[in-house]
């Protein structure tokens, strides 16, 4: 892998069990479970064009390279994080497949054009700008709070970028599900698949995964809940497969090579 200059407080971590590395920083940005779950939940075209909004250090596009040969773009408004994402692409020698752009999602369609993508993924800020305790670190605050974009802005941007019949996948908080569905519907994104994530059996959901289709017909599937921890406080089997691989991942890779797994 290419030698990359690290900024103060940055480190290089293994990205799950894939042959990928990722630059992170506890002071600026480190990916969390929601990004990993979204990268496995979304319906990925084998080829075509995919864009990830609010990409942070580019973790979702990096993970999606293990599932598709599609061209991938990440969009991040914060200069420091966009630079980290670009270095992550170079670190993994993925320049031919993954491209990072610093920009504001509210106007990024002016750069790419309308309806150019088969899939849009987004892990947006979960909290409204004037709610909760805003972290004094501006990078962390912007990742958690709607400082640079609102939920409405995110839905509008997704709708502009995705083609008719294309898909939009989002991870968010269940407490804002009504707002999410309203915003999606407003911008002609019809929710098709919804899955709630629960820390443990019997506990309330703390994440929701939603996939919508541009100009789709009204019909939604509520998928079985995803339980994170078992009674022993270990990851449940499905989480282990998501994080550390499974036979299905090998089947996807073999299919791309034209082989049998």
């Amino acid at each position: 892998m290419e030698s990359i200059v690290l900024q103060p407080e940055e480190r290089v971590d293994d990205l799950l069990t894939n042959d990928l590395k990722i630059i992170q920083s506890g002071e600026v940005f480190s990916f969390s479970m929601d990004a990993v779950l979204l990268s496995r939940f979304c319906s990925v075209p084998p080829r075509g064009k995919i864009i990830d909004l609010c990409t942070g250090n580019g973790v979702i596009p990096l993970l999606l390279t293990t599932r598709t040969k599609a061209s991938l773009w990440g969009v991040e408004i914060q200069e420091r994080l966009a630079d980290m994402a670009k270095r992550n692409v170079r670190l993994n020698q993925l320049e031919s497949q993954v491209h990072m752009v610093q920009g504001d999602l509210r106007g990024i369609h002016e750069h790419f054009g309308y309806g150019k993508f088969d899939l849009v993924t987004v892990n947006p800020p979960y909290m409204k700008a004037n709610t909760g305790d805003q972290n004094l670190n501006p990078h962390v605050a912007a990742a958690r709070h709607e400082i640079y974009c609102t939920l409405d802005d995110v839905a509008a941007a997704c709708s502009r970028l995705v083609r008719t019949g294309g898909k939009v996948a989002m991870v968010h908080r269940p407490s804002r599900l009504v707002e999410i569905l309203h915003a999606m519907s407003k911008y002609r994104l019809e929710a098709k698949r919804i899955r709630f994530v629960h820390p443990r059996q019997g506990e309330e959901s703390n994440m929701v995964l939603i996939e919508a289709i541009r100009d789709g017909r009204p019909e939604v599937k509520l998928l079985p809940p995803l339980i994170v921890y078992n009674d022993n406080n270990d990851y449940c089997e499905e989480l282990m497969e998501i994080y550390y691989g499974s036979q299905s991942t090998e089947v996807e890779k073999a299919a791309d090579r034209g082989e049998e797994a």
Side-chain angles (χ1 to χ4, degrees):
M1 292 188 181
E2 181 180 343
S3 176
I4 300 292
V5 176
L6 298 181
Q7 301 298 323
E9 306 302 327
E10 289 183 347
R11 66 183 187 274
V12 176
D13 294 334
D14 291 327
L15 188 51
L16 308 183
T17 58
N18 303 304
D19 295 326
L20 295 171
K21 303 287 185 180
I22 189 162
I23 301 167
Q24 305 207 91
S25 168
E27 289 193 349
V28 179
F29 189 90
S30 295
F31 77 87
S32 54
M33 180 181 293
D34 46 9
V36 178
L37 295 184
L38 181 61
S39 73
R40 293 301 302 175
F41 169 79
C42 60
S43 301
V44 179
R47 283 172 172 77
K49 298 173 70 175
I50 300 171
I51 189 166
D52 180 53
L53 305 179
C54 306
T55 201
N57 63 355
V59 59
I60 290 176
L62 292 180
L63 288 171
L64 289 180
T65 63
T66 68
R67 300 186 61 202
T68 180
K69 299 299 184 183
S71 297
L72 293 149
W73 280 262
V75 177
E76 172 56 48
I77 193 170
Q78 297 188 70
E79 182 178 3
R80 174 76 184 276
L81 298 188
D83 174 70
M84 190 184 297
K86 292 174 182 177
R87 285 183 288 131
N88 275 324
V89 174
R90 296 198 305 273
L91 177 67
N92 291 284
Q93 300 178 344
L94 289 169
E95 294 95 329
S96 63
Q97 185 180 9
V98 184
H99 319 277
M100 296 297 172
V101 177
Q102 183 189 352
D104 189 329
L105 63 79
R106 292 172 293 186
I108 202 64
H109 60 285
E110 296 175 3
H111 175 80
F112 289 106
Y114 288 84
K116 300 297 184 182
F117 293 91
D118 301 289
L119 170 66
V120 181
T121 58
V122 60
N123 180 7
Y126 294 150
M127 302 175 68
K128 294 182 179 181
N130 56 354
T131 60
D133 294 329
Q134 289 197 18
N135 194 297
L136 294 178
N137 182 320
H139 302 289
V140 177
R144 294 178 179 173
H145 292 79
E146 295 178 342
I147 294 171
Y148 292 114
C149 62
T150 64
L151 182 56
D152 193 85
D153 293 332
V154 170
C158 292
S159 181
R160 295 186 190 110
L161 293 167
V162 73
R163 64 172 175 81
T164 296
K167 297 180 179 179
V168 172
M170 177 187 297
V171 60
H172 216 292
R173 291 288 181 255
S175 60
R176 301 193 66 186
L177 180 59
V178 173
E179 294 176 75
I180 295 165
L181 296 179
H182 176 75
M184 284 185 164
S185 179
K186 178 181 175 181
Y187 294 104
R188 299 167 59 182
L189 302 173
E190 190 65 41
K192 289 291 186 177
R193 298 167 61 233
I194 297 176
R195 191 174 195 190
F196 293 98
V197 182
H198 301 254
R200 293 170 181 80
Q201 190 76 37
E203 293 186 1
E204 288 187 9
S205 170
N206 61 352
M207 270 187 275
V208 62
L209 297 156
I210 306 164
E211 186 174 79
I213 293 181
R214 177 71 150 83
D215 296 322
R217 295 180 179 179
E219 183 180 10
V220 64
K221 291 183 179 179
L222 295 180
L223 303 179
L226 175 57
I227 310 300
V228 176
Y229 295 105
N230 60 26
D231 292 339
N232 296 323
N233 234 23
D234 297 322
Y235 280 157
C236 290
E237 182 178 350
E238 185 175 0
L239 255 292
M240 292 294 291
E241 290 180 355
I242 289 172
Y243 264 85
Y244 303 111
S246 65
Q247 179 66 14
S248 62
T249 303
E250 295 306 315
V251 169
E252 289 175 1
K253 290 180 179 178
D256 285 340
R257 296 192 300 265
E259 304 170 357
E260 291 186 3

